[in-house]
Amino acid sequence: MQLEQIGIIKTSLKSSQGAPIQPASSNVSGIVQIDEKYADALQDLDGFERIWLIFWCHKSKPVQMQVVPYMDDAPHGVFATRAPSRPNPIGISCVKLDRIDGLVLHVSDVDILDGTPLLDIKPYVSKFDNFPTTRNGWLDQVESKRIQKGQADQRFQQDS
């Protein structure tokens, strides 16, 4: 298997400390700089309000099979969380696409650290990407306990 970086994500978030834990809780803007060889791949992307950014969590700690996620105080299997300390530290965020200037995507509702390598972009399509559910695993109990943390700390970030 081979992954190729297609660009870089630039934001004001230098550390996970205080960063939003999901794009829905973010008021952070940023830019996505696409490598020139992928210029043609951006055709028609500007018609979408939101896009999925798929990226490599380059500052995450090594894999942990069980983690205490930001929204709870109990350990859970890493596959039942969105923690970045995974076997393959791949992240996804659905961000707002504000505009495209050449090879630069201006985005908002960002929860991604500065300098993050971009692996792929996919359009958010509300007909396909919106699945109302009734079960949200351990998060259902957390919400009933009212443990609400809207910001990250550094529990999953490697020391620089």
Side-chain angles (χ1 to χ4, degrees), residues 56-105:
W56 193 260
C57 299
H58 67 299
K59 291 188 176 183
S60 68
K61 288 183 177 177
V63 63
Q64 299 173 46
M65 297 304 156
Q66 292 198 348
V67 297
V68 177
Y70 296 128
M71 302 228 2
D72 200 0
D73 53 8
H76 300 278
V78 72
F79 295 151
T81 75
R82 294 187 176 186
S85 297
R86 320 180 71 74
N88 294 300
I90 295 171
I92 60 170
S93 277
C94 187
V95 301
K96 187 170 184 256
L97 178 60
D98 297 323
R99 71 181 192 280
I100 300 175
D101 292 326
L103 296 171
V104 177
L105 283 59

Side-chain angles (χ1 to χ4, degrees), residues 21 25 68-73 147-153 155:
I21 59 170
S25 62
V68 177
Y70 296 128
M71 302 228 2
D72 200 0
D73 53 8
I147 296 176
Q148 294 294 322
K149 299 176 186 175
Q151 295 182 332
D153 54 33
R155 71 182 77 183

Side-chain angles (χ1 to χ4, degrees), residues 106-123:
H106 296 264
V107 295
S108 54
D109 295 347
V110 178
D111 64 340
I112 304 167
L113 297 182
D114 185 56
T116 296
L118 179 67
L119 300 176
D120 205 351
I121 301 168
K122 295 182 185 283

Side-chain angles (χ1 to χ4, degrees), residues 2-8 33-43 45 102-103 105 118-121:
Q2 185 175 343
L3 296 175
E4 186 170 339
Q5 181 175 336
I6 65 164
I8 191 162
Q33 178 69 52
I34 304 299
D35 292 347
E36 190 171 338
K37 72 182 195 177
Y38 300 106
D40 289 344
L42 294 174
Q43 181 178 337
L45 187 63
L103 296 171
L105 283 59
L118 179 67
L119 300 176
D120 205 351
I121 301 168

